[in-house]
Structure formats: structure tokens, C-alpha cells
Amino acid sequence: MDKFTKITGVAAPMPLVNIDTDMIIPKQFLKTIKRSGLGANLFDEMRFNQDGTEIESFVLNQPAYRKAEIIVAGDNFGCGSSREHAPWALLDFGIRSVIATSFADIFYNNCFKNGILPIVMPQEVVDTLMDDARRGENARMTVDLENQTVTTSDGQSFAFEVDAFKKHCLMNGLDDIGLTMEKAANIDSYESKAAALRPWV
Amino acid sequence: MTARTLYDKIWDDHVVDQAEDGTCLLYIDRHLVHEVTSPQAFEGLRMTGRKVRAPEKTIAVPDHNVPTTLDRANAKTMTEDSRIQVEALDKNATEFGLHYYPVSDVRQGIVHIVGPEQGWTLPGMTVVCGDSHTATHGAFGSLAHGIGTSEVEHVLATQTLIQRKAKNFKVEITGSLRPGVTAKDITLSVIGETGTAGGTGYVIEYCGQAIRELSMEGRMTVCNMAIEGGARAGLIAPDEKTFAYCMGRPHAPKGAAWEAALAYWKTLFTDEGAHFDKVITIKGEDIAPVVTWGTSPEDVLPITATVPAASDFKGGKVEAAQRSLDYMGLTPGMKLTDIKIDTVFIGSCTNGRIEDLRAAAAVLKGKKIKDGMRAMVVPGSGLVRAQAEEEGLAQIFMDAGFEWRLAGCSMCLAMNPDQLAPGERCAATSNRNFEGRQGRGGRTHLLSPAMAAAAAITGHLTDIRDFAIEHA
């Protein structure tokens, strides 16, 4: 997994609430057995007409946002399906951080497994960041995981909360399966205990 | 001892390790696997030389991609990429030694219907699957939730998940439901009340007389859509109905093991005075038959209502509501019962069980669907299909003009050939009305199986209570 420490980049404004994972990556692109290559179809049905031409009004098709690395979004981003293809598509497009007032649980977890930092901010901060994002490519936002801050292009800085363990894994690009396997003895001992208490499981 | 909720009890019994910051390693009793969200996980195991830690607790079944037409044994009915995914699951299940129900097996079906049916899902267990509707299994008083593919790989390798405990949310439905009102109307009404983010960070426990009065099938419908309200999991405390459902299932305990299990299962309830972080109470008699009008499952209204205007909403929802109205092609103020329907889909992990088919068949018996209507029933599993045939339901559906299909997820998410065309409008018993969910440009109204059947006959969204009177 790619490490995440600090990025400075263009933020795309997507104020719509309830952006679901079907919008992020429609089902016809889930028929892959790979994790890569999904960026071309990120937000496919919002981004492209049926004939494959771009829908000009969609934010990521506008010249200022074609290389966005951050999305500032409306409430409940990533709701719906558990498909990890959603963060894979975001990452493959180049998005490393999403900022919103809330995220759906499964999507939120999936991001951390893929080097993407989802940031929860209060409404008034999201409003400020959304305004900054609307200024286009001249407005480059900075997301600093180590110091847990987001800084707008004009220098306003906002602190955010993140789980210490998730932060540690993201900053170091750690594979959490490896970490859990170090606890194999605990799992063994749980299994013997459980086998005695609930042998039918 | 402190009073604990049902969720607290199941959680406590599965903690393998707890770090100082509260992060836990949680043991997983059952891992369900399907073809769409697992190939990358198995590939990860291969690349790192890891094995499946507990293949005997891992159950695989293809469901999302599989065609549901009768000719599906012919591999050509699947697109190349779908076929590759299903074949990858065949290969992975065999190579890693998992319990497996291939497409050709009569027990094949939607993973969330097969699990309970085969007795894999039992009270007090932790159940995960790379699918958000894993919440379904909470109907048994098991802690069940969806996970991403990286977590699928984590569970395959370690039989555990790294988790932080969620908060407790009690949803109480008091009293009894009125005639024509079903489990689907309960679960949609709750989402209408809480919004799709109302349950985020919580595990919901559904309780109250109306929940107790539901069958196991109905309880599965309620828990299935907990995720649509943002809750990772929904739970219902097990009772005699739960035990009766589990008894005799192929993988349920037998004999002395059954008695031991039963004694444990009977401890699985929320203690008097246990703390809930959030509580809502809805009167069962206040719940009407409902439908969705928009493109979020929270866009729920009683069937007697009219289409809202964007200006009826506040904040970010104003733009979303306008977008929904445009997408759905609806005009504010029109009666929901005036909305014309082109297609009816009965099935999915929400409403693809025998009771759902019985409810729809009861409405359809002796009647014909509207001319030009496309209507299909997709049973949730091969065994549901067989039972429906035995009960004569299949014949009722076919006589009415419905297509009688083989089991799978089908048009709920349209990964197989069953899709809506742009602009086509569908009354669906499934769980998501998102833009493009059932096919690009397709328009979905979520409702109960009986209401879907009534719409197939009348050609428009229909109040099942009026329908029942007119056709008495």
C-alpha cells in the first residue's frame, strides 16, 4: 500500500449528498479480477455520455480539476455497496483524500486499506473547503496526516481527528494482515477457548 | 455485572485481543464469499504465500453475475468477464478447500439466502461477507456486516477483523402492523425516519412487538436494509421462531450439541437497563405501505402521498432531491399511485425468500399482468425455487405472465443480463434505488412483494389495501 504523509493538490468540489459507491464505480466495472485500471471509469455514468464522450459539466472533466487529488464532498460519501472497487477507482484516478461531513462505515474503512485518507470535518469547515475547492487549479489544498491538518490555498488551517492505529498504518504503508498474523498465538488461544464454550460453531 | 445489549454480548464473546486505544481483533465465525469481491483477495493470498486459516468456516457461492434464465448451464449466456469471475471462484473454492455451492448445485443462490437456509448462520455468531447486505444475518441475533475486499483477505488469512466497537442504536416498533403492511414497509419506514446516514457508526437492534410478530423471513428483510440506513449491522434477539427455523438445517448442531447451543442462544438478549446511545420508537399501526420516489432509500413515502418538491427539503438534500426528480422523471405534486410502471422485479436478498413469493402469488392468483409489462420472479435460492414449485406458486406466477427464473442477485444490481433500459421504470422488491443501479438510466421504485405484484397487474404503483378491496 502507498504511504500517505502529506499531499498538496487540487481539490474537486462535489457538494452532492449521499454520493454512493454505485455512482463512484458502476457495477459493469466490477467484473474485473484486478485492482488496477478502474480510474478510467471513476464516476462513469456522471462523467461520460453513453457514447463515451465526456459530460462537460461534470467536475472532473473541467480543465481545472482533471488532475484533482482531493475531493471535497457532501454528507454520507461512499454509502451503499461495500465494493472496494470504489477506493480502487479513486486511487487509480489519482485521488488520495476525500473530505466530507460524514462517510459510510464500510467505504471509510476501505479507504485506509488503499492509501486514501478520508477526513471527517464539521459542516462549516466543509463549506469553507468547498469554497476553496471551487477556486479551481490555482487553489491547492494541503492535507497533512502527521499533523492532522487541512490547509486551504490561502493558509487557513483546520485540525481533524483520525484513529491512531489507522494513521500509523497509513503513514507507514503497513499491511495489517502482517500485523495481525503476529498475534497468531492470541488467535490460537481464542480458538481453543471458543471450541470449549461453543463447540457447535 | 453491568447490563449489556445484545450487541455488547456478541462483541464481548468474540474479542481476541484489545489494544490500549480500544482497537480490537474480533474473531469471525462465518465468512461468506461470492465471486465479485473475492478474486483480488485470493490473489493476495497467493502473492504472499498465505493460506485460508479456517476453510471449514468459509462458504462460497456465485450469485451476482450468474444468469437466471433457464439456459444458463450454457456458458455462453454469460459475458466473458462474468464467466472469468465465476470460474475464478470455482478455482479458489476448490484450491483453498472451502464449502462451495456451484451454479449447477440446487442449493446455489444469493449468499445471504443460502447461509441461513443451510444452517451456516446461527444465533450469537459473527458473520462477514464482502457484501453490504450481510446485515441480513442479524435476523438470527448474529453480528453480521459487510466488508471490503482487503478485509476479505484479512479474514481469509487470519479469521479475524480489526474493528472498533460501534455504538448501540435501538429501533423499537411497538404494537402490530395493519393489514397490507409488511417487513419491507417497516425497514423502509425506519430509513425514511433516520435517513441513510442516521445509522452510521451504530449497530441497530430492532425490537418491539411488531418485530417479534414477524417471521424469520420478515426479520431478514428488516435487517437486510440496516445498511441502507447507514448501520453496519442490524440485530434481532433470537427467540423460539429463530430456534425453530435453525433446527434440522444441514449445518445446525444436532443432539447434545443442539441443547448446548440452545442454552447459550437463550442468553442472547439485551439486559434490562442496558444503555443505548440512540433510540427511536415507531408505532406499528402508524406504518403504511410505502414506496420510494427518488434515488436514495431514504426517499420513502406512504403510497397515499404525492411526489415532493425539492423545496420541501433542506441543506444539501435540496440539490439531491432535484437531481432525483429529474432522474426519475417525476413532477412534484403527482400522486404516487399515478406513476406508471414498465417492469416488475420480485427477488433479491431483501425479498427473495419463500414468504415473499407466497405474498406476491397471493395477489397474482387467477390474474394477469398488464399488457406490455415485463415481470420476473427470481427466487433467492434453488431451494426456494423448488419449494415454490412444490407449493404451486411457480404456476401462479407463470399463469399471470411472470417469467419464472433460476436463483441469483439478478436485476437487483444488474451485473447479469437482467437490466433496465434507459428511462424504463421498475417496481422492485430489492434494496437500492440508486441512479443506474438496475441499468444505466433505469428508474427504480422500492416496495414490498405484494405491492410489486399489484403494480404488475394494474400497470402503476398501487396501494395494496385498495387493491385488496377492489379484487376481493
Side-chain angles (χ1 to χ4, degrees):
Chain A
M1 183 175 83
D2 291 347
K3 290 181 187 177
F4 189 112
T5 47
K6 182 176 173 178
I7 58 162
T8 297
V10 172
M14 295 191 74
L16 191 64
V17 299
N18 297 332
I19 291 179
D20 58 68
T21 54
D22 274 82
M23 284 181 179
I24 298 172
I25 185 81
K27 72 245 164 212
Q28 60 270 35
F29 307 109
L30 309 188
K31 298 184 185 193
T32 171
I33 54 171
K34 300 194 188 114
R35 294 174 197 244
S36 55
L38 288 162
N41 303 106
L42 176 71
F43 294 113
D44 193 83
E45 292 176 7
M46 300 167 90
R47 196 168 142 209
F48 302 106
N49 292 303
Q50 212 142 11
D51 62 7
T53 55
E54 288 185 2
I55 296 171
E56 274 178 41
S57 58
F58 184 67
V59 63
L60 297 180
N61 289 334
Q62 295 167 14
Y65 301 106
R66 298 182 81 91
K67 291 193 172 151
E69 290 173 74
I70 301 163
I71 289 175
V72 183
D75 196 39
N76 199 28
F77 189 88
C79 60
S81 161
S82 61
R83 58 189 69 167
E84 197 161 319
H85 308 68
W88 294 339
L90 287 165
L91 185 70
D92 195 54
F93 180 88
I95 302 293
R96 296 299 308 277
S97 181
V98 184
I99 305 168
T101 46
S102 75
F103 292 89
D105 275 339
I106 301 175
F107 175 82
Y108 185 81
N109 275 321
N110 284 344
C111 283
F112 283 98
K113 313 282 182 188
N114 292 285
I116 297 175
L117 175 62
I119 300 174
V120 178
M121 287 286 201
Q123 187 69 54
E124 59 275 18
V125 174
V126 171
D127 291 345
T128 303
L129 298 177
M130 194 74 75
D131 287 343
D132 195 46
R134 286 191 173 112
R135 293 167 58 192
E137 66 189 322
N138 296 322
R140 294 165 70 81
M141 209 176 274
T142 299
V143 175
D144 181 341
L145 177 55
E146 184 169 17
N147 295 306
Q148 296 182 212
T149 56
V150 177
T151 307
T152 61
S153 56
D154 56 7
Q156 293 184 75
S157 199
F158 302 96
F160 63 86
E161 297 289 322
V162 60
D163 179 271
F165 176 73
K166 288 190 165 85
K167 177 180 176 179
H168 173 72
C169 290
L170 202 49
M171 286 198 62
N172 297 289
L174 294 179
D175 161 17
D176 58 10
I177 298 178
L179 294 176
T180 298
M181 291 188 93
E182 289 171 13
K183 294 180 179 166
N186 301 49
I187 304 174
D188 290 341
S189 106
Y190 175 89
E191 280 181 338
S192 355
K193 196 180 69 181
L197 288 171
R198 294 184 296 281
W200 61 87
V201 172
Chain B
M1 212 161 90
T2 347
R4 292 184 298 165
T5 64
L6 173 57
Y7 171 51
D8 297 338
K9 289 181 181 179
I10 303 173
W11 177 273
D12 290 349
D13 279 353
H14 289 86
V15 173
V16 171
D17 185 55
Q18 181 160 356
E20 274 177 27
D21 69 353
T23 306
C24 286
L25 198 59
L26 202 69
Y27 195 79
I28 302 304
D29 294 324
R30 292 288 180 265
H31 186 192
L32 309 174
V33 174
H34 66 82
E35 80 278 20
V36 178
T37 57
S38 67
Q40 295 87 349
F42 286 109
E43 194 52 29
L45 293 185
R46 282 197 190 90
M47 279 160 56
T48 49
R50 290 168 179 151
K51 293 189 171 62
V52 175
R53 183 181 169 98
E56 75 282 5
K57 294 174 181 174
T58 312
I59 299 98
V61 58
D63 56 6
H64 283 58
N65 275 285
V66 298
T68 59
T69 42
L70 302 181
D71 58 352
R72 78 172 175 197
N74 178 351
K76 286 186 184 144
T77 56
M78 252 190 277
T79 58
E80 177 74 6
D81 43 8
S82 289
R83 193 179 51 73
I84 290 171
Q85 269 194 342
V86 173
E87 285 174 2
L89 187 65
D90 287 342
K91 178 169 173 271
N92 290 326
T94 312
E95 190 178 319
F96 290 96
L98 318 181
H99 296 280
Y100 188 48
Y101 303 99
V103 177
S104 57
D105 193 310
V106 69
R107 298 167 297 177
Q108 178 272 344
I110 306 170
V111 63
H112 307 308
I113 293 193
V114 172
E117 203 168 67
Q118 293 300 318
W120 290 115
T121 307
L122 297 169
M125 284 181 164
T126 45
V127 181
V128 296
C129 175
D131 188 285
S132 59
H133 292 111
T134 309
T136 312
H137 308 264
F140 292 79
S142 58
L143 178 60
H145 62 87
I147 55 178
T149 300
S150 295
E151 289 179 316
V152 169
E153 186 177 339
H154 192 282
V155 177
L156 288 171
T158 70
Q159 205 58 28
T160 64
L161 265 185
I162 299 169
Q163 291 273 287
R164 287 184 82 93
K165 200 175 171 198
K167 289 180 281 187
N168 281 287
F169 184 178
K170 173 161 119 174
V171 173
E172 186 178 17
I173 315 292
T174 60
S176 293
L177 299 178
R178 292 189 186 277
V181 180
T182 68
K184 185 63 165 287
D185 301 300
I186 294 181
T187 203
L188 282 171
S189 297
V190 171
I191 299 160
E193 182 101 4
T194 62
T196 48
T200 303
Y202 293 91
V203 164
I204 294 177
E205 181 177 347
Y206 299 95
C207 61
Q209 186 185 328
I211 298 292
R212 296 260 73 89
E213 288 176 359
L214 292 176
S215 64
M216 286 312 295
E217 285 84 354
R219 294 178 191 182
M220 283 188 255
T221 301
V222 170
C223 289
N224 172 275
M225 290 190 70
I227 184 65
E228 259 53 70
R232 192 183 297 171
L235 283 170
I236 294 174
D239 60 11
E240 293 303 325
K241 284 184 190 172
T242 322
F243 309 144
Y245 181 99
C246 294
M247 196 170 187
R249 301 259 161 201
H251 296 280
K254 315 239 163 11
W258 171 264
E259 293 306 324
L262 200 58
Y264 173 72
W265 295 345
K266 287 182 175 172
T267 68
L268 298 173
F269 56 84
T270 290
D271 296 329
E272 189 75 34
H275 174 72
F276 282 94
D277 303 280
K278 189 170 173 178
V279 177
I280 65 164
T281 304
I282 297 175
K283 286 183 188 164
E285 55 265 37
D286 288 350
I287 300 175
V290 292
V291 296
T292 62
W293 57 269
T295 55
S296 166
E298 71 190 13
D299 299 337
V300 173
L301 283 171
I303 182 67
T304 48
T306 54
V307 174
S311 57
D312 296 342
F313 298 91
K314 284 184 189 149
K317 187 69 187 170
V318 177
E319 188 196 340
Q322 189 55 55
R323 188 181 166 93
S324 288
L325 289 168
D326 295 342
Y327 181 87
M328 294 296 288
L330 296 175
T331 314
M334 78 183 285
K335 284 170 145 185
L336 292 173
T337 48
D338 286 343
I339 297 175
K340 299 248 187 316
I341 296 298
D342 309 303
T343 296
V344 169
F345 168 63
I346 297 177
S348 85
C349 58
T350 313
N351 282 128
R353 283 168 286 267
I354 190 68
E355 181 183 274
D356 304 312
L357 303 196
R358 285 181 192 141
V363 173
L364 291 166
K365 190 168 187 178
K367 299 189 183 65
K368 296 276 182 209
I369 61 172
K370 180 110 178 154
D371 280 348
M373 177 73 61
R374 172 162 72 132
M376 67 171 84
V377 185
V378 184
S381 72
L383 293 180
V384 168
R385 181 180 151 92
Q387 189 177 348
E389 288 180 344
E390 200 177 295
E391 292 183 15
L393 308 180
Q395 199 58 50
I396 294 174
F397 286 119
M398 288 187 282
D399 289 348
F402 269 78
E403 289 181 58
W404 178 242
R405 295 296 193 88
L406 297 172
C409 300
S410 185
M411 204 188 261
C412 173
L413 86 167
M415 272 192 80
N416 79 346
D418 305 329
Q419 300 185 4
L420 294 182
E424 202 177 352
R425 192 182 293 280
C426 181
T429 66
S430 47
N431 41 56
R432 292 195 172 127
N433 50 357
F434 296 157
E435 285 180 24
R437 172 79 177 180
Q438 295 191 285
R440 185 173 179 143
R443 295 161 170 168
T444 305
H445 296 277
L446 304 175
L447 34 51
S448 72
M451 294 264 283
I457 295 166
T458 62
H460 55 82
L461 293 178
T462 298
D463 188 334
I464 188 66
R465 296 164 300 188
D466 297 341
F467 182 88
I469 293 166
E470 283 160 26
H471 293 79

